[in-house]
Amino acid sequence: MAEVLVLVDHVDGKVRKTTSELLTIARRLGEPSAVFVGSGFDAAKETLARFGAEKVYRVESPEVLEHLVVPQAELLAQLVADKAPAAVLVPSSPEGKEIAARLAVKTESGLITDAVDVQAAGDGSGGVATTQSVFAGSYTVSATVTKGTPIVAVKPNSATPEELAGAAADEVLDFTPSDAAKGARITESKPKQATGRPELTEAAIVVSGGRGTAGDFSKVEDFADSLGAAVGASRAAVDAGWYPHTSQVGQTGKQVSPQLYVACGISGAIQHRAGMQTSKTIVAVNKDNEAPIFELVDFGVVGDLFAVLPQATDAIKAAKD
Ligand SMILES: Cc1cc2nc3c(=O)[nH]c(=O)nc-3n(C[C@H](O)[C@H](O)[C@H](O)COP(=O)(O)OP(=O)(O)OC[C@H]3O[C@@H](n4cnc5c(N)ncnc54)[C@H](O)[C@@H]3O)c2cc1C
């Protein structure tokens, strides 16, 4: 069975959920082989094996991560040439998409970004069939790669991670980035201040606040914490300085696709929808029953978020006790 390369997304060996999703998808297409760059492999191995990685190609050289994404694209291009994989899967993060684009150019292959589903093509061609959600979620596009090795950047939450033991047999690669790949160097990096909440783009539940919060996100945060959710914000809230720009959901912010998205005091402008419309279940709390957000919700609550959210928080806490 042909290998399917999965670029591992991790921090010092702590493997992110997107990688277990990609390994689950890879098993539909062939035999998953993880590509692990950096330190912490011993910590990562158990997770990679648990989600079905048969092999792990490792590069330990710190040089590869010191120079932004170009060396990783070079490494993957080398693996594509050596292993002739059936496909290469990367997370559809800004970094993942840049790696995928560079890899596509280097290998003269077709690239699909922001896939929300990936399956083996049913025509016996050995190719991949992908689904993308485009134009603010108003169109669903089915696409296949017709040239080279399919390179697919997959959005978080596009698959439910399924455990299936793999050998995770590791092979340390002898890889040195070219001089051309070392044109930019990271001079300093600081860990983000921990909030204790899940990462916005990976969270299964996102609770977002908008201008309707009037700058007080405490009720949104309390409700999010009762659900173990990430907190997002509309651009109006972010531009007003009420919440960090890194939390903005939408066309010019982050794209999220959780199981549950709760919009609180958000009107539902097209630019906001562009970042959350592919959420599986959408709930809105808004005091204006004509707010456009109600056009796309599965459940809507017409009411003041400062009255509704505390009651919902209490009810969830009571249900958990
Ligand atoms: C090029 C471009 C890019 C953009 N990118 C983005 C983007 O990425 N993300 C984004 O979000 N926006 C983006 N916008 C802005 C977007 O057009 C809207 O202006 C913005 O989304 C509005 O934010 P809001 O819904 O919080 O505010 P508003 O539209 O002002 O809506 C506030 C809502 O809160 C409700 N409300 C008020 N008080 C309460 C209360 N106490 N309880 C319950 N409900 C209450 C009101 O009824 C109203 O519906 C972009 C705009 C442009 C032009």
Side-chain angles (χ1 to χ4, degrees):
M1 200 189 286
E3 291 179 54
V4 176
L5 300 181
V6 170
L7 182 63
V8 178
D9 190 5
H10 72 101
V11 179
D12 296 331
K14 193 169 181 296
V15 178
R16 299 180 107 150
K17 189 168 140 261
T18 43
T19 298
S20 39
E21 292 166 6
L22 292 187
L23 288 169
T24 302
I25 290 172
R27 298 206 303 261
R28 301 173 190 160
L29 312 173
E31 195 173 275
S33 293
V35 181
F36 185 92
V37 179
S39 59
F41 174 69
D42 289 344
K45 180 169 177 159
E46 188 270 329
T47 309
L48 299 178
R50 187 152 45 90
F51 289 97
E54 286 300 332
K55 288 185 197 153
V56 185
Y57 299 115
R58 287 168 60 193
V59 174
E60 290 173 323
S61 157
E63 246 197 333
V64 178
L65 293 180
E66 268 169 19
H67 298 282
L68 301 172
V69 296
V70 189
Q72 292 182 72
E74 262 186 8
L75 166 66
L76 286 173
Q78 182 182 305
L79 280 167
V80 167
D82 290 351
K83 312 290 176 191
V88 181
L89 305 179
V90 300
S92 204
S93 58
E95 186 177 90
K97 282 193 270 195
E98 188 178 344
I99 292 170
R102 289 175 180 274
L103 176 63
V105 171
K106 285 177 193 302
T107 59
E108 297 189 8
S109 296
L111 162 69
I112 292 170
T113 57
D114 289 336
V116 292
D117 191 23
V118 185
Q119 301 286 344
D123 57 6
S125 64
V128 298
T130 70
T131 306
Q132 293 162 292
S133 180
V134 301
F135 295 134
S138 43
Y139 282 86
T140 299
V141 174
S142 302
T144 56
V145 168
T146 55
K147 189 178 176 209
T149 304
I151 297 163
V152 188
V154 186
K155 274 189 158 187
N157 291 315
S158 295
T160 306
E162 288 165 17
E163 297 189 9
L164 180 85
D170 62 310
E171 185 183 322
V172 178
L173 300 179
D174 184 17
F175 171 77
T176 312
S178 70
D179 286 344
K182 294 193 269 187
R185 192 166 67 82
I186 297 170
T187 53
E188 191 187 0
S189 69
K190 290 184 195 153
K192 203 166 73 178
Q193 215 178 351
T195 61
R197 299 192 180 100
E199 162 65 30
L200 184 58
T201 53
E202 290 173 16
I205 306 176
V206 174
V207 180
S208 288
R211 207 193 310 262
T213 62
D216 177 2
F217 264 66
S218 62
K219 303 293 177 275
V220 171
E221 289 182 333
D222 289 348
F223 182 56
D225 290 342
S226 74
L227 291 166
V231 175
S234 72
R235 180 156 154 184
V238 160
D239 282 351
W242 299 340
Y243 228 66
H245 277 280
T246 49
S247 304
Q248 183 183 318
V249 172
Q251 184 184 320
T252 45
K254 292 199 170 139
Q255 316 264 310
V256 301
S257 198
Q259 298 296 323
L260 172 64
Y261 186 87
V262 188
C264 308
I266 293 177
S267 60
I270 184 76
Q271 296 90 351
H272 187 78
R273 293 179 184 205
M276 45 65 75
Q277 200 156 10
T278 54
S279 305
K280 311 294 176 294
T281 301
I282 298 171
V283 176
V285 181
N286 196 304
K287 65 182 186 184
D288 174 8
N289 67 355
E290 294 193 354
I293 191 83
F294 286 127
E295 290 163 14
L296 79 158
V297 298
D298 298 281
F299 301 101
V301 182
V302 179
D304 185 334
L305 68 89
F306 291 99
V308 174
L309 293 184
Q311 291 177 56
T313 306
D314 288 347
I316 286 162
K317 283 187 183 158
K320 280 184 176 169
D321 289 341

